[in-house]
Amino acid sequence: MATGRNLTRQGLGQAVNDQIGLSKNDAGDLVDTFFSCIKQTLLAGEDVKLVNFGTFKVRDKSSRKGRNPQTGETLEISKRRIVTFKPSKILREKVNDNSC
């Protein structure tokens, strides 16, 4: 699946092509559609739960005071929304399993 250190969109499309037999174009479209659905759901403020994998959530972070480490200047960090990921128990266990 991944030949280097990172799994890319192209690598996912290739894996779909290899395992399911879809053409490369159809496999790429499937991967793009999958990520588009996840993105639209997160933009709507809803959670994305993938069984045996984990949950993506959008969190609101309030504004806060910060400090520029180079100058020591205090500044205001504006409020923003961030995406967080919490892996499922099954994924955590597999990642931490040393027998793989």
Side-chain angles (χ1 to χ4, degrees):
M1 196 164 9
T3 57
R5 295 177 153 218
N6 298 314
L7 178 61
T8 63
R9 180 213 154 278
Q10 183 179 7
L12 285 171
Q14 184 64 47
V16 170
N17 172 263
D18 293 344
Q19 293 182 18
I20 298 176
L22 290 176
S23 70
K24 287 187 179 184
N25 285 338
D26 288 344
D29 290 345
L30 177 70
V31 171
D32 288 342
T33 301
F34 174 76
F35 285 120
S36 178
C37 289
I38 290 175
K39 181 172 69 171
Q40 292 304 318
T41 302
L42 291 171
L43 289 173
E46 300 174 32
D47 297 348
V48 175
K49 296 180 184 182
L50 302 173
V51 176
N52 296 333
F53 187 72
T55 303
F56 294 92
K57 291 185 177 192
V58 176
R59 276 191 343 135
D60 291 319
K61 292 188 84 172
S62 56
S63 61
R64 60 188 173 90
K65 292 187 185 227
R67 186 180 66 83
N68 181 333
Q70 292 180 336
T71 64
E73 176 187 1
T74 301
L75 49 101
E76 182 77 16
I77 300 173
S78 60
K79 66 179 181 177
R80 61 195 182 282
R81 298 174 81 194
I82 62 167
V83 177
T84 61
F85 174 73
K86 182 177 180 186
S88 70
K89 181 179 177 184
I90 292 170
L91 179 59
R92 272 194 322 269
E93 289 171 353
K94 287 188 181 208
V95 166
N96 290 314
D97 183 13
N98 294 329
S99 66
C100 292

